[in-house]
Amino acid sequence: MTDRVVVTGIGIISAIGKNTDESLQHFRSATSGIGAITQIDTIHKTNLPVAEVKYSNRELLNLLNIANKKCNYTRTSLLGMFAAKQALESAGIHSVKKKKTGLVSANSVGGMDKSEVFYATFLGHPKKGKISNIVGHDCGDSTEHIADYLGIKEQVTTLSTACSSSANAIMLGSRLIQHGLLDRVIVVGCDSLTKFTINGFNTLLIFDKEACRPFDATRNGLNLGEGAGYIVLESEKSAVESGKKIRGILSGFANANDAYHQTASSPDGNGAYLAMSQALSMSNLQPNQIDYINVHGTATQNNDLSEGIAMKRIFGETVPRFSSTKSFTGHTLGAAGGIEAVFSIMALEQQLIYPNLRFKTPIPELQLIPETKLIEGAGIKHILSNSFGFGGNNSTLIFSAA
Amino acid sequence: MVLAEIIQPSFLVQPNMKVYINGIGSVNAQQAGYTDNFLTEIQQTEQHSIRSIEPDYKAFINPTLIRRMGRIIKMGVASAKMCLNDAGVEQPDAILTGTGLGCIEDTEKFLGAIIQNNEQFLTPTSFIQSTHNTVGGQIALMLGCNNYNFTYVHRAFSFESCVQDAMMLLAEKAEQNVLLGGVDELTVNSLKLIERLGQLKNHPITSLNLLNYKTRGSIAGEGANFFVFSTKHTESSYAQLLGCKMLYKPENTEEITESLQQFLQQNKVQASDIDLVLYGYNGDVKYDRLYTEVKDKLLSKSSVAYFKHLCGEYHTSNSFAYLLAAHILKTKSVSPSILLDDKKRLVKTILIYNHYRGINHTFSLLKAC
Amino acid sequence: MSQLANELKTEIIKALNLEGVSPEDIENDAPLFGEGLGLDSIDALELIVLLDKNYGIKIDSAADGKAVFHSISSMVAYIESKK
């Protein structure tokens, strides 16, 4: 497996914009996408802030030029199609047939946005409820819509490992290329906000009623977000052959399991430690070569402490500069790893480090201070990005400058 | 090691690497668990769904873990444990789970509570357990296993994506034991939905006559089938897996047969070498046609067998076909209950061809070892 | 005290699906978490909802619940203090 896997395209939609330019503007002006719930009918509308994509499904259909199609797309599909197409265009791919091109997508709750509408009728009246609202329930549905929209047939699959889903999709995409099975893969994930996840995380009492404060001593939970992030991975050979601009190199990755608790992270951050150290070892980098960490940083008590402990175990007292972009986008669950991979590539290209908004006081046990101001000309070569999920599923990706 | 030299677009093992199935664990509709006398007594039903015969889970799962588990989690975790016991493996090097619909019982429970209580007085357990990777996560938790842990959730590619990943893992590092499986559950509501979607037969049936009606629809099923894959041949080896290929939305039968021929070539297997083909025939006359066309064009010399009358149709039902194929190759006997002809060839090589509604097609080749 | 304690034990066994445990198995002063019944953080969240739903008592965070859910006795004392 000597041929390197590189990134040649990126596409994104989140609460801070529908492309990389809009996202950058938000980072530069330190404007987060967190605000009131407007797209979902829930009793939590007034008390739980979220990071919504600022377009209705109708508007997304128009943006995608498919408003006339009869298909009852889930919001997850629409977000995914939007970002995946953007990634393809940004990679300058006009025909997916020219090379062996696959799609590996990830999400955490599939078409739940429509399922919950269906069940509201169906549960009381088993013969009622619009049946087209349930056919997109499974996680594979959005992937097939994206594949069909892009014309991809070669390899189509879906991963779901909660909040590390799309980081794992990137690993799989890379391995499919490294094994010579595909030349390039459109990879990562999408998730939409739903009543199901809003109420689900609410039962865990891990929502902040205000905008979240990752890695702050007073952090009080996360805000949910939605969106999609896709990247185009190609073998270096394929990219060079076709004269593509290499946007970044995927130089290391690892998935490890915390094996501690179904939802909570272990006190010693063992899963996170294993994921980071194995990814470093794969990339042949020393810890001190990492210039920036895009932390998982959900702003829950448990995650940030456990992740911080794991970072200290790896980096000692010289933890690299770090920030949580979830202070802008909220926690986009299955899309998070993908969105943050796109941010990592943007950071390498623009030489930026993003601010960790609303941080004031370090966590006493850690004394770690994230970057709170945007840094331009950051001089970064290697970025480490963490994504951790339920089921103890911990993943680390390392992106390096081309 | 790299998987593909000869090969694309399917993935195969390199000529010098062999993949063996070294352990089996199962919760299925035919017997509690999996034993040597699998299919000596055939279970049949007149229902439109076939449910698993559940073992005493306490024999496999720690009681403090079990109390929160929905049926799919118990089925998955117990069959994973049975499988590791069977293979004599304590700690797998990777855990791969495939599930088409995930933990729908818990999903429905939490959705129902949201709707019935108008988003109030909700408790976390069913939400937590509804996550798609709960089975894989709980296996890791039970074993204290820190290793690679992926869950694939792509309809009738879910299990096969695990197979693909397992083969890549084994090519990346030798001497590993990869635990992988397919698991799906039926619930009262999911069955109602399958019926409303027109995927169940709408007339009285007997499961063993599934292919005789020539009508639309099938019978629904569920189950959990886990395997240990390894590059090492051991005393517990059941069979050798030559390769597996996924084909998405072929436009016509020609595309299917071309893809299959390519797959066989890549594996250096002639169609005439295949002693038995396990088809995914599910009784739905609209989709079964494809199996028959491929059979007539390419596989007319092989024995014809099927399995969905024994396990029902579900996204990961092909994992049951793997179990069946491994059982046949190890015991060197074929239960008459699965045969559709009387060619009676000695079975050394098996092809499994399954598809889900003409969209997700998969080919798998297994060989006696 | 004992009536409320017994009521709570029955409710807890049901809510947490404690198979094979009967109310008599739970001692009033024995710790519910860690050793003892072996409950964990997810159970604490279940108990918070149980208090809200059955007794109209709201606890806002898992940290606040820690002292309340120490044992059946501490739960009884808390419920009675809120009456």
Side-chain angles (χ1 to χ4, degrees):
Chain A
M1 290 205 279
T2 47
D3 200 18
R4 295 194 297 182
V5 174
V6 301
V7 179
T8 56
I10 51 180
I12 189 165
I13 183 165
S14 78
I16 59 168
K18 63 176 186 312
N19 51 44
T20 52
D21 284 348
E22 290 180 15
S23 308
L24 277 174
Q25 280 166 21
H26 280 78
F27 283 131
R28 289 212 158 91
S29 62
T31 313
S32 97
I34 298 165
I37 300 175
T38 66
Q39 307 276 353
I40 296 174
D41 182 26
T42 162
I43 65 165
H44 300 297
K45 257 185 177 172
T46 52
N47 65 345
L48 291 178
V50 295
E52 282 180 339
V53 167
K54 309 288 181 282
Y55 300 95
S56 68
N57 286 3
R58 171 57 46 188
E59 289 165 325
L60 287 169
L61 282 166
N62 285 329
L63 285 170
L64 285 161
N65 272 326
I66 49 169
N68 298 327
K69 284 218 178 170
K70 283 250 159 68
C71 185
N72 190 17
Y73 294 103
T74 63
R75 188 166 174 83
T76 311
S77 293
L78 294 172
L79 294 170
M81 287 156 78
F82 187 84
K85 179 157 180 272
Q86 205 183 101
L88 212 63
E89 282 165 2
S90 112
I93 296 174
H94 306 294
S95 164
V96 291
K97 304 273 183 268
K98 281 205 178 132
K99 292 196 168 186
K100 283 179 293 157
T101 308
L103 174 70
V104 177
S105 193
N107 61 74
S108 70
V109 286
M112 183 58 80
D113 60 311
K114 295 250 188 255
S115 310
E116 57 196 26
V117 173
F118 176 81
Y119 264 83
T121 313
F122 171 75
L123 280 182
H125 309 276
K127 296 211 181 317
K128 289 196 179 151
K130 188 171 147 194
I131 199 77
S132 69
N133 274 337
I134 198 67
V135 294
H137 172 80
D138 68 292
C139 296
D141 173 76
S142 57
T143 310
E144 293 193 355
H145 281 306
I146 298 164
D148 295 349
Y149 184 61
L150 304 178
I152 290 175
K153 283 189 67 170
E154 201 73 44
Q155 156 107 28
V156 177
T157 195
T158 313
L159 270 153
S160 190
T161 54
C163 307
S164 56
S165 299
S166 48
N168 292 341
I170 291 175
M171 286 183 217
L172 178 71
S174 176
R175 290 169 60 235
L176 288 166
I177 293 170
Q178 287 168 304
H179 281 279
L181 304 174
L182 295 169
D183 298 317
R184 55 191 183 192
V185 195
I186 295 51
V187 56
V188 312
C190 44
D191 249 326
S192 68
L193 275 165
T194 65
K195 234 170 158 166
F196 187 86
T197 38
I198 289 172
N199 280 288
F201 283 92
N202 197 37
T203 65
L204 298 173
L205 303 180
I206 52 171
F207 275 144
D208 199 322
K209 301 226 158 70
E210 290 159 45
C212 65
R213 301 179 294 282
F215 275 82
D216 191 272
T218 67
R219 71 197 180 285
N220 197 25
L222 55 84
N223 313 121
L224 279 187
E226 64 180 351
Y230 280 81
I231 63 178
V232 178
L233 290 177
E234 289 191 48
S235 71
E236 191 170 24
K237 190 166 152 262
S238 154
V240 169
E241 259 173 23
S242 48
K244 292 276 176 60
K245 187 182 169 210
I246 293 173
R247 322 272 303 252
I249 297 155
L250 177 61
S251 49
F253 50 75
N255 170 261
N257 199 282
D258 206 24
Y260 170 73
H261 187 269
Q262 178 61 20
T263 55
S265 306
S266 59
D268 58 357
N270 203 34
Y273 170 82
L274 290 170
M276 284 190 274
S277 52
Q278 288 168 15
L280 278 166
S281 125
M282 177 182 174
S283 66
N284 284 320
L285 292 171
Q286 295 305 310
N288 63 14
Q289 289 176 277
I290 297 295
D291 303 301
Y292 167 58
I293 303 176
N294 187 304
V295 292
H296 184 54
T298 58
T300 64
Q301 289 281 343
N302 179 236
N303 175 79
D304 293 5
L305 181 59
S306 176
E307 185 176 12
I309 287 169
M311 281 155 62
K312 289 185 109 168
R313 282 176 66 189
I314 304 251
F315 298 99
E317 289 310 306
T318 48
V319 171
R321 294 174 288 184
F322 72 95
S323 63
S324 169
T325 46
K326 291 187 176 75
S327 59
F328 286 85
T329 60
H331 187 1
T332 56
L333 305 180
I339 285 176
E340 288 161 34
V342 172
F343 289 159
S344 296
I345 298 299
M346 285 162 55
L348 286 171
E349 288 193 316
Q350 306 281 331
Q351 286 298 308
L352 286 180
I353 287 179
Y354 310 115
N356 186 109
L357 299 178
R358 298 174 291 277
F359 173 88
K360 286 205 178 94
T361 320
I363 298 169
E365 298 93 319
L366 296 176
Q367 293 300 325
L368 288 175
I369 299 173
E371 298 309 310
T372 55
K373 295 256 158 36
L374 181 92
I375 300 173
E376 306 251 15
I380 35 182
K381 275 196 185 136
H382 305 288
I383 296 181
L384 183 149
S385 174
N386 282 335
S387 294
F388 308 145
F390 280 5
N393 205 289
N394 292 19
S395 296
T396 298
L397 305 170
I398 298 175
F399 292 98
S400 301
Chain B
M1 217 197 274
V2 186
L3 255 189
E5 226 113 63
I6 13 170
I7 34 185
Q8 305 126 24
S10 86
F11 65 99
L12 300 177
V13 189
Q14 280 199 349
N16 56 349
M17 181 182 107
K18 289 182 175 166
V19 173
Y20 298 98
I21 299 178
N22 285 352
I24 291 179
S26 172
V27 175
N28 63 72
Q30 290 301 319
Q31 63 172 200
Y34 164 76
T35 65
D36 286 347
N37 57 15
F38 185 59
L39 297 192
T40 46
E41 222 177 281
I42 304 296
Q43 306 295 326
Q44 59 170 324
T45 179
E46 293 179 359
Q47 305 286 316
H48 287 68
S49 62
I50 310 182
R51 301 218 175 221
S52 294
I53 300 170
E54 297 182 82
D56 176 14
Y57 289 118
K58 290 196 192 84
F60 305 98
I61 314 172
N62 179 334
T64 54
L65 287 174
I66 217 168
R67 68 188 164 95
R68 292 199 187 111
M69 291 181 175
R71 250 164 35 83
I72 187 174
I73 305 167
K74 286 191 265 197
M75 288 197 284
V77 174
S79 62
K81 184 71 187 156
M82 289 177 208
C83 178
L84 292 169
N85 291 347
D86 186 41
V89 170
E90 267 179 43
Q91 207 57 266
D93 297 286
I95 298 170
L96 310 173
T97 314
T99 177
L101 289 171
C103 308
I104 38 180
E105 182 188 11
D106 281 307
T107 305
E108 287 174 344
K109 219 189 251 182
F110 194 68
L111 254 183
I114 292 176
I115 293 159
Q116 276 144 20
N117 302 329
N118 190 27
E119 303 183 60
Q120 289 169 83
F121 304 123
L122 297 172
T123 59
T125 303
S126 54
F127 171 68
I128 291 167
Q129 304 289 103
S130 76
T131 315
H132 282 83
N133 64 332
T134 307
V135 173
Q138 290 287 328
I139 295 170
L141 201 53
M142 174 179 74
L143 302 174
C145 179
N146 294 116
N147 299 330
Y148 180 92
N149 194 313
F150 270 24
T151 298
Y152 290 93
V153 290
H154 196 103
R155 298 185 169 169
F157 286 161
S158 306
F159 172 68
E160 291 75 1
S161 296
C162 296
V163 174
Q164 183 184 48
D165 194 350
M167 294 179 94
M168 287 198 288
L169 288 168
L170 292 172
E172 284 160 22
K173 201 172 139 217
E175 302 277 305
Q176 293 194 98
N177 292 301
V178 177
L179 175 70
L180 71 157
V183 56
D184 270 298
E185 68 177 341
L186 264 178
T187 66
V188 174
N189 282 328
S190 72
L191 188 62
K192 276 184 204 156
L193 287 172
I194 294 169
E195 185 182 5
R196 276 186 61 185
L197 289 164
Q199 295 170 11
L200 289 188
K201 293 225 172 281
N202 63 4
H203 53 77
I205 57 148
T206 303
S207 56
L208 297 187
N209 292 333
L210 188 63
L211 302 194
N212 300 341
Y213 304 109
K214 310 291 174 202
T215 51
R216 292 298 313 278
S218 183
I219 45 172
E222 63 172 13
N225 304 290
F226 274 77
F227 307 90
V228 166
F229 281 11
S230 171
T231 48
K232 252 175 47 186
H233 185 273
T234 68
E235 276 186 5
S236 68
S237 294
Y238 285 84
Q240 188 192 337
L241 176 70
L242 296 178
C244 167
K245 178 180 187 176
M246 294 175 257
L247 175 67
Y248 176 65
K249 282 199 181 166
E251 274 160 30
N252 46 43
T253 317
E254 283 67 45
E255 197 180 330
I256 303 170
T257 49
E258 254 170 51
S259 173
L260 175 56
Q261 262 170 324
Q262 206 180 33
F263 172 68
L264 295 179
Q265 263 168 27
Q266 287 157 355
N267 280 289
K268 303 192 172 65
V269 168
Q270 307 282 327
S272 56
D273 297 338
I274 297 167
D275 303 304
L276 180 137
V277 184
L278 265 175
Y279 292 94
Y281 279 118
N282 71 4
D284 188 323
V285 70
K286 177 171 174 191
Y287 298 109
D288 279 354
R289 180 183 59 85
L290 292 172
Y291 295 119
T292 306
E293 286 174 13
V294 171
K295 170 170 72 80
D296 293 348
K297 264 195 180 150
L298 214 60
L299 301 161
S300 55
K301 294 207 173 73
S302 317
S303 287
V304 181
Y306 74 125
F307 59 94
K308 286 185 185 159
H309 58 313
L310 303 177
C311 68
E313 177 67 282
Y314 56 102
H315 285 109
T316 49
S317 60
N318 216 30
S319 63
F320 183 83
Y322 269 63
L323 167 108
L324 193 50
H327 177 77
I328 292 169
L329 293 169
K330 176 146 193 188
T331 60
K332 301 188 175 63
S333 66
V334 184
S335 163
S337 65
I338 64 165
L339 285 170
L340 287 168
D341 65 15
D342 52 6
K343 288 202 185 78
K344 294 202 174 136
R345 287 174 61 153
L346 176 68
V347 180
K348 283 186 180 160
T349 304
I350 295 178
L351 171 75
I352 307 171
Y353 169 33
N354 186 47
H355 71 79
Y356 174 68
R357 305 181 72 71
I359 294 169
N360 312 110
H361 296 250
T362 58
F363 310 118
S364 310
L365 263 177
L366 292 93
K367 203 175 105 173
C369 65
Chain C
M1 160 93 180
S2 81
Q3 198 198 330
L4 180 54
N6 283 334
E7 190 179 297
L8 268 177
K9 288 176 191 174
T10 312
E11 287 167 354
I12 289 171
I13 289 167
K14 185 162 172 265
L16 306 185
N17 199 15
L18 299 172
E19 261 181 61
V21 178
S22 64
E24 301 79 58
D25 298 335
I26 308 175
E27 285 174 39
N28 286 349
D29 296 319
L32 295 170
F33 287 76
E35 52 199 295
L37 265 193
L39 304 187
D40 69 8
S41 58
I42 299 173
D43 297 309
L45 297 167
E46 292 278 341
L47 293 181
I48 287 174
V49 180
L50 189 150
L51 281 194
D52 187 10
K53 202 171 174 179
N54 298 1
Y55 301 92
I57 297 170
K58 287 207 189 298
I59 294 174
D60 287 334
S61 77
D64 296 347
K66 226 173 177 177
V68 180
F69 301 134
H70 173 75
S71 63
I72 294 290
S73 300
S74 64
M75 286 182 75
V76 168
Y78 190 73
I79 293 169
E80 285 181 338
S81 75
K82 294 279 167 182
K83 270 184 183 165

